[in-house]
Amino acid sequence: MSALVALDPRRHAAMRFDPAAAAAGAGAGQRIAQLGLSELALAAADMPLCLAKEAQTGRFNPVALMGLAAPRNLFVAGGRFHATYLPRALLLGAFRLDPAGAGGLAVDEAEPALRGDGTMLIAAGAPTALVDEVRGGLERLVADVAAARALADALAAHRLLRPLGLALRLDDGAEHRLDGLYTIDEDALHALDEAAVVTLHRGGQLAAAAVIAASLAQLERLRQLHDASGAGARIAALHVAADELA
């Protein structure tokens, strides 16, 4: 459970941040991770990318899918994060921007990455250079997430999104469906008129849409990780919309 409090030089005098521990436990119970625009191509090397719709606003956010049949991160095993790229929202998940906190940060006191070894956040009663680095990283991530949302807005405005329709059947007969996720409508993408293609290309959205669409091939890696984990029944079939991938 989150225990966010403003970073306090006295209360947190002994607190340390361990990036390795953050990576090892990164979102162990999370099926998705929000992504910034600059992260899309990096995350696609390991993970299927899709878009999640906000219930309150109806806006879309690009995310990395990291789990299938259960709300867990399949890239976390044996105390390590087994992917070439760790989304920054997971790496920095123990922190939030907070102008009331020392160095402009709040910390989640329940995060294991802040309760073991690592680099001090406070030294001689003041924030260390690490606090400045974390704050800068969060500020860049906030801007990058805003850019990713702008991308999603452009794709939605051109009607290039469709429900992902991901369904699983386990070899014990159980079935699971992941709802609320969206992907690129490639038929709509191919049907764009020339003016729309030029606009999206010049804005960089066309290349990003291609990355998101191509990343669905990584669903097979998620299935392999699920089956290798030994956590429950293996996946017998994996479907996206009407097309069976297995």
Side-chain angles (χ1 to χ4, degrees):
M1 179 179 295
S2 177
L4 279 171
V5 296
L7 183 63
D8 184 297
R10 288 180 294 179
R11 177 170 177 163
H12 303 121
M15 182 172 280
R16 298 171 178 268
F17 174 55
D18 184 355
Q30 291 183 226
R31 201 179 343 231
I32 64 172
Q34 191 165 17
L35 295 173
L37 181 62
S38 69
E39 297 184 281
L40 297 182
L42 297 170
D46 295 288
M47 305 160 188
L49 309 186
C50 47
L51 298 102
K53 192 173 186 179
E54 294 180 352
Q56 290 85 0
T57 67
R59 294 185 71 185
F60 294 92
N61 292 290
V63 297
L65 182 62
M66 304 177 299
L68 290 172
R72 59 183 290 251
N73 187 340
L74 290 170
F75 292 96
V76 176
R80 298 182 61 189
F81 189 80
H82 298 272
T84 58
Y85 183 73
L86 174 64
R88 284 174 292 169
L90 297 184
L91 179 63
L92 300 176
F95 303 97
R96 299 292 187 278
L97 294 172
D98 184 350
L105 290 184
V107 293
D108 184 345
E109 295 179 323
E111 279 287 333
L114 297 179
R115 293 188 282 118
D117 297 328
T119 303
M120 299 288 293
L121 295 175
I122 304 294
T128 65
L130 175 61
V131 171
D132 291 335
E133 292 176 13
V134 170
R135 186 186 66 251
L138 284 174
E139 289 170 346
R140 291 189 293 273
L141 178 58
V142 168
D144 206 24
V145 166
R149 285 175 172 162
L151 162 69
D153 288 345
L155 298 177
H158 283 85
R159 300 183 181 277
L160 296 178
L161 303 181
R162 66 168 177 82
L164 182 56
L166 184 60
L168 315 170
R169 188 178 74 253
L170 304 184
D171 61 9
D172 63 1
E175 297 184 353
H176 295 268
R177 185 175 180 87
L178 275 68
D179 295 315
L181 298 176
Y182 292 74
T183 189
I184 303 300
D185 186 333
E186 296 190 64
D187 290 338
L189 187 64
H190 294 151
L192 285 173
D193 61 35
E194 184 176 349
V197 169
V198 170
T199 298
L200 290 169
H201 171 68
R202 287 179 175 171
Q205 292 102 343
L206 204 59
V211 169
I212 293 171
S215 74
L216 287 186
Q218 298 291 11
L219 285 168
E220 175 58 24
R221 184 172 187 202
L222 286 187
R223 180 170 74 162
Q224 291 171 358
L225 289 172
H226 171 92
D227 290 348
S229 72
R234 295 167 62 88
I235 295 174
L238 174 62
H239 301 257
V240 175
D243 299 322
E244 186 174 344
L245 299 185

